[in-house]
Amino acid sequence: MSHLMNTYARLPVAFERGEGSWLWDLQGRRYLDALAGVAVCGLGHAHPRLTRALQKQVATLIHTSNIYEIDLQSKLADRLAAISGMETVFFCNSGCEANEAAIKLARLYGHKKGIEAPAIVVMEQSFHGRTMATLTATGSRKVQAGFEPLLSGFVRAPFDDLEAVRRVAAGNRSVVAVLVELVQGEGGVNVCSPEYLNGLREICDQNEWLLMLDEVQTGTGRTGKWFAYQHSGVQPDVVTLAKGLGNGVPIGTCMAAGVAATLFTAGKHGSTFGGNPLACAAGLETLAIIEEDGLMQNAVEIGDYIRGELRAHLSGIPGVKDVRGVGMMVGVELAFPCGELVTRALAAGLLINVTNDTVVRLLPPLIYTREEARMLLDMLVPLIQEYVAEQTAAGTPQAASHAA
């Protein structure tokens, strides 16, 4: 009997080492990584430059405390402010902690406006974490089930539906903010329309709401920009970030601008480990490598290539509903549950993920080469084709194909 608490449905593989876009298991078998620790390892594994920076920092100073000045934390905050246009940065350890900080900022903002029970608009099919506040904000009954009573203070709207948010604005005076992912990762790699963010900014400005963006998965270059909102001209009030910032070293941030940047004062929020010297050294080096090695442009070029090839090979196949995504976020939606593809891909030496039951999700490292992308396609396309053919032959209910 394992002494590990039963919180994960683990796959039957353990990895011993990694290099670039590849991982090796305990038996020495090699796997192509198309998941990157769920969008964490954008630089791949054992990046030589990051390794040297971390070794140097470990040998110098790992942790002090936020009751003292931390020089590397100030430097990383300055760097994040410069690339994001935000004004202040709070450091924590994970995405859900970053979103917790954003939720607390919204509530402080509401109370400052004299609203006793401030509410936040959140979206269906969203995912913001597994703490009590963030799982309440999450738009998935599967995540929430069994943890009732959930917290109050959230109003839900359909994703990418501006009229629904306008109806909320017209009917609820307690709303103070919107919290939204521009690409829903866990929800099925759902990409919002180009006009959505501009519309949300307009609604927030008209109603004096905070526009809060969850960039935990989309941030740090994964969509081809430092942040997904930078594909538009919109500047948010609050942005959360985590996953790819430390390339595997735990770090999260909640960044704020304007009135939101003034809400936290000493004692209102904190973190024991957040922004310690090791985490900030990882963040600074990761950002430097992404910029100097042109990895955001690579994410655009390789991501477009992968989606284009998937559309070319899967278009018109009954049971394949859509191929979508942006940058190094790729989703292939089937007309039926496809979790079994994860174990079939593993057997073929490929690491992928299935989210929202029916969407094959790919989150490769930003360093992928064209050759590695070709290898991914050579392994994945036949798996999907065979699986869809099996489901079709078995008479599994399916919708018509609409692959672009």
Side-chain angles (χ1 to χ4, degrees), residues 115 117-124 153-179 196 199-200 203-204 206-210:
I115 297 173
I120 302 169
V121 179
V122 291
M123 306 304 160
E124 295 175 357
F154 297 94
V155 180
R156 203 164 304 284
F159 178 62
D160 202 18
D161 185 341
L162 289 173
E163 286 307 313
V165 179
R166 291 191 180 99
R167 287 195 294 273
V168 172
N172 194 329
R173 293 182 177 276
S174 65
V175 171
V176 296
V178 172
L179 175 62
Y196 186 57
L200 286 179
I203 294 170
C204 286
Q206 290 171 347
N207 293 279
E208 296 184 338
W209 296 352
L210 299 179

Side-chain angles (χ1 to χ4, degrees), residues 4 79 86 160 189 204 256 279 312 317 387 395:
L4 294 172
R79 181 74 180 119
M86 306 304 285
D160 202 18
V189 195
C204 286
I317 298 177
Y387 183 74

Side-chain angles (χ1 to χ4, degrees), residues 14-26 28-33 36-37 41 43-51 247 351 365 367 372:
F15 297 108
E16 183 176 49
R17 67 186 178 91
E19 182 179 335
S21 302
W22 298 87
L23 286 163
W24 283 260
D25 68 16
L26 296 176
R29 188 182 181 212
R30 190 174 78 153
Y31 299 80
L32 178 60
D33 191 353
C41 300
L43 305 182
H45 305 282
H47 192 286
R49 181 173 161 184
L50 180 64
T51 299
N247 206 63
L351 305 180
I367 60 169
E372 288 167 339

Side-chain angles (χ1 to χ4, degrees), residues 301-317 320 323-324 330-332 362 370-382 384-385 403-404:
E301 293 173 2
I302 299 298
D304 286 349
Y305 172 68
I306 292 172
R307 278 185 295 278
E309 289 295 299
L310 287 171
R311 288 175 180 132
H313 289 88
L314 300 176
S315 178
I317 298 177
V320 178
V323 176
R324 56 179 177 258
V330 180
V332 180
L362 307 177
R370 181 65 69 100
E371 181 183 6
E372 288 167 339
R374 187 70 255 167
M375 295 173 75
L376 158 69
L377 293 161
D378 288 345
M379 286 189 275
L380 181 62
V381 168
I384 293 177
Q385 291 172 332

Side-chain angles (χ1 to χ4, degrees), residues 180-297:
V180 62
E181 306 155 280
L182 299 180
V183 183
Q184 293 184 326
E186 295 291 332
V189 195
N190 303 314
V191 184
C192 70
S193 58
E195 62 272 16
Y196 186 57
L197 183 55
N198 285 285
L200 286 179
R201 179 73 272 177
E202 184 179 314
I203 294 170
C204 286
D205 289 343
Q206 290 171 347
N207 293 279
E208 296 184 338
W209 296 352
L210 299 179
L211 177 57
M212 308 198 302
L213 304 183
D214 179 342
E215 295 249 16
V216 167
Q217 190 165 133
T218 52
T220 327
R222 182 147 292 276
T223 69
K225 299 280 189 182
W226 284 121
F227 304 94
Y229 68 84
Q230 291 174 333
H231 291 281
S232 74
V234 168
Q235 189 66 23
D237 301 300
V238 177
V239 179
T240 59
L241 181 65
K243 288 187 179 293
L245 181 55
N247 206 63
V249 177
I251 183 170
T253 70
C254 177
M255 302 185 288
V259 65
T262 68
L263 295 169
F264 277 158
T265 55
K268 287 293 186 184
H269 201 48
S271 170
T272 295
F273 298 105
N276 74 15
L278 180 64
C280 290
L284 282 164
E285 198 69 11
T286 298
L287 294 177
I289 294 169
I290 289 173
E291 182 172 56
E292 293 168 22
D293 289 359
L295 296 184
M296 287 183 279
Q297 183 59 34

